[in-house]
């Protein structure tokens, strides 16, 4: 891999809108970029694990567009009994759907690339930064961001498998980590792992509950980056303000939840150095849980991702074309001269 065309990726969550992430990745790939490390939350974790596994643009497009998203809606027997059953399933199992169908689909896709555990996504010596060579638990090409309800914090899998859960990261299932990251609260049942700290069970859900766009996950402040980290964002322009229209209890509840879950990310994404390296995709108002997504809408989302990535790289009248050296001069002057 040539350094000038390497880029780490951070992919935002967005449910079924993740097909737009695949579009943006395919355009970056066509322009010559390769991706040593990929991090993602929720749908970003789903797409990210496939990218890290080496599944290339055309095949990634086929996977994301051909899947019947409604197959991921797999309620338990109790959850199939209408609205009362769905409510009862949430009370009994902490989620309406089991999440087994989504996990199985991810595992099937990864098997095509002969990837099952994180050992199959090991960073080779050329791809591992010097600071990672003595940190075996972080030397993997992919990390799934997960909200740990037991401790109220964001965790990266496989980075914390050994210390927190007593699991060798190399032996952990990639599909299991993605299943945890995509567990939308109340929609999917939480994932659970034995917790070495409490001695009980750790409850793991969608990473978007704490950070849907963990853009700084690979950043270091003390050295010049060898190559850029690109963020791909689905939920709107990071520089734009979000206005919630409140006209009742339901809209008030939604605004409260959005404020609680999005506050951390909004603090990050208004920073000029984040805006400058973020590809923003227009997802045309598609809902994250629209599991009846039509093939035509999936195609539009994919193309929207491609167009957003091309605009980011080439620039337009409002912003200059992407240039890594310019980025470093503007935002990383203190680190210039000390590279990893």
């Amino acid at each position: 891999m040539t350094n000038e065309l390497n880029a780490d990726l951070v992919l935002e969550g967005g449910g079924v809108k993740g097909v737009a992430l695949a579009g943006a990745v395919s355009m970056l790939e066509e322009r010559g970029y390769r991706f040593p490390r990929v991090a993602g939350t929720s749908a970003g974790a789903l797409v990210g694990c496939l990218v890290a596994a080496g599944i290339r643009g055309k095949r990634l497009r086929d996977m994301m567009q051909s899947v019947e998203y409604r197959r991921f809606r797999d309620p338990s027997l109790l959850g199939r009994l209408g609205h009362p059953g769905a409510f009862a399933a949430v009370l009994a199992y902490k989620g309406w759907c089991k999440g087994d169908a989504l996990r199985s689909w991810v595992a099937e896709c990864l098997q095509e690339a002969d990837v099952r555990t994180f050992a199959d996504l090991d960073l080779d010596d050329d791809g591992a930064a010097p600071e990672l060579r003595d940190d075996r638990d972080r030397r993997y090409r992919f990390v799934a961001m997960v909200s740990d309800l037991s401790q109220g914090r964001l965790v990266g899998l496989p980075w914390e498998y050994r210390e927190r859960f007593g699991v060798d990261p190399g032996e952990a299932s990639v599909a299991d980590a993605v299943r945890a990251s995509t567990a939308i609260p109340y929609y999917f049942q939480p994932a659970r792992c034995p917790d070495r700290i409490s001695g009980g069970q750790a409850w793991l859900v969608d990473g978007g509950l704490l950070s849907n766009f963990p853009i700084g996950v690979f950043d270091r402040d003390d050295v010049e980056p060898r190559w850029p980290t690109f963020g791909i964002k689905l939920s709107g322009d990071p520089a734009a303000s979000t206005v919630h229209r409140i006209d009742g209890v339901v809209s008030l509840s939604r605004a409260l939840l959005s404020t609680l879950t999005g506050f951390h990310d909004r603090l990050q994404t208004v920073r000029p150095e984040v805006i400058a390296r973020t590809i923003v995709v227009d997802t045309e108002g598609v809902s994250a849980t629209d599991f009846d997504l039509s093939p035509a809408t999936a195609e539009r989302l994919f193309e929207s991702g491609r167009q957003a990535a091309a605009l980011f790289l080439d620039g337009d009248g409002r912003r200059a074309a992407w240039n890594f050296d310019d980025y470093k001069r503007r935002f990383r002057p203190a680190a210039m001269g000390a590279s990893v």
Side-chain angles (χ1 to χ4, degrees):
M1 289 186 287
T2 57
N3 285 3
E4 64 271 22
L5 290 180
N6 282 348
D8 292 332
L9 289 180
V10 177
L11 308 181
E12 186 181 42
V16 300
K17 297 184 290 184
V19 66
L21 297 171
V25 169
S26 75
M27 177 56 71
L28 291 172
E29 187 181 87
E30 284 183 19
R31 297 296 187 92
Y33 282 96
R34 298 295 179 264
F35 314 110
R37 296 183 295 179
V38 186
T41 296
S42 195
L46 188 154
V47 175
C49 76
L50 302 180
V51 174
I55 295 172
R56 304 294 293 275
K58 185 178 185 303
R59 182 59 184 138
L60 185 63
R61 177 180 191 156
D62 291 343
M63 286 178 170
M64 297 301 296
Q65 291 187 328
S66 64
V67 63
E68 293 185 11
Y69 289 94
R70 63 174 61 89
R71 70 179 281 191
F72 298 154
R73 191 186 291 136
D74 60 345
S76 62
L77 182 61
L78 180 62
R80 297 173 190 169
L81 303 178
H83 291 298
F87 182 72
V90 170
L91 291 178
Y93 308 120
K94 312 302 181 289
W96 176 44
C97 294
K98 296 179 289 185
D100 294 343
L102 188 149
R103 186 211 175 278
S104 295
W105 181 80
V106 171
E108 290 169 8
C109 292
L110 289 172
Q111 284 176 11
E112 184 174 307
D114 201 25
V115 170
R116 293 169 180 78
T117 68
F118 279 94
D120 299 318
L121 296 178
D122 188 44
L123 272 171
D124 58 28
D125 288 340
D126 291 336
E131 77 274 12
L132 297 181
R133 290 173 188 160
D134 296 324
D135 189 349
R136 192 68 195 86
D137 290 352
R138 288 182 178 242
R139 284 195 52 201
Y140 298 97
R141 297 190 62 207
F142 170 65
V143 56
M145 307 309 295
V146 178
S147 294
D148 179 353
L149 296 182
S150 306
Q151 292 204 349
R153 66 187 184 92
L154 193 69
V155 300
L157 302 179
W159 293 353
E160 303 194 46
Y161 267 131
R162 190 188 309 276
E163 180 178 355
R164 181 70 197 285
F165 307 119
V167 175
D168 183 333
E171 297 177 359
S173 162
V174 178
D176 283 348
V178 174
R179 159 70 178 88
S181 184
T182 55
I184 301 171
Y186 301 122
Y187 197 97
F188 289 114
Q189 296 172 18
R192 287 183 285 178
C193 290
D195 186 350
R196 291 182 65 184
I197 296 176
S198 70
Q201 292 279 312
W203 293 68
L204 307 176
V205 299
D206 192 325
L209 189 66
L210 293 177
S211 180
N212 209 33
F213 189 51
I215 185 62
V217 67
F218 297 130
D219 288 352
R220 293 183 63 193
D221 294 330
D222 56 334
V223 291
E224 178 187 358
R226 296 170 298 163
W227 47 69
T229 296
F230 293 149
I232 306 180
K233 188 168 172 51
L234 301 175
S235 59
D237 188 337
S241 300
T242 300
V243 177
H244 301 286
R245 297 185 61 181
I246 300 173
D247 54 15
V249 174
V250 173
S251 58
L252 175 62
S253 300
R254 287 175 179 166
L256 284 170
L257 181 61
S258 176
T259 300
L260 289 170
T261 60
F263 178 70
H264 173 269
D265 286 346
R266 280 190 285 274
L267 286 179
Q268 300 296 315
T269 56
V270 296
R271 294 162 51 194
E273 63 269 30
V274 171
I275 295 171
R277 57 173 169 160
T278 298
I279 299 167
V280 180
V281 184
D282 180 3
T283 53
E284 305 178 1
V286 174
S287 168
T289 55
D290 182 8
F291 289 103
D292 293 315
L293 190 73
S294 70
T297 301
E299 173 69 20
R300 288 200 304 273
L301 287 172
F302 187 89
E303 289 302 321
S304 184
R306 286 180 56 81
Q307 293 169 13
L311 180 63
F312 171 82
L313 293 173
D314 298 336
D316 61 6
R318 295 184 303 164
R319 66 183 295 168
W322 167 259
N323 184 287
F324 187 38
D325 288 334
D326 286 346
Y327 178 87
K328 288 187 291 183
R329 279 192 291 269
R330 292 175 62 196
F331 300 115
R332 302 298 303 271
M336 292 292 283
S339 62
V340 295

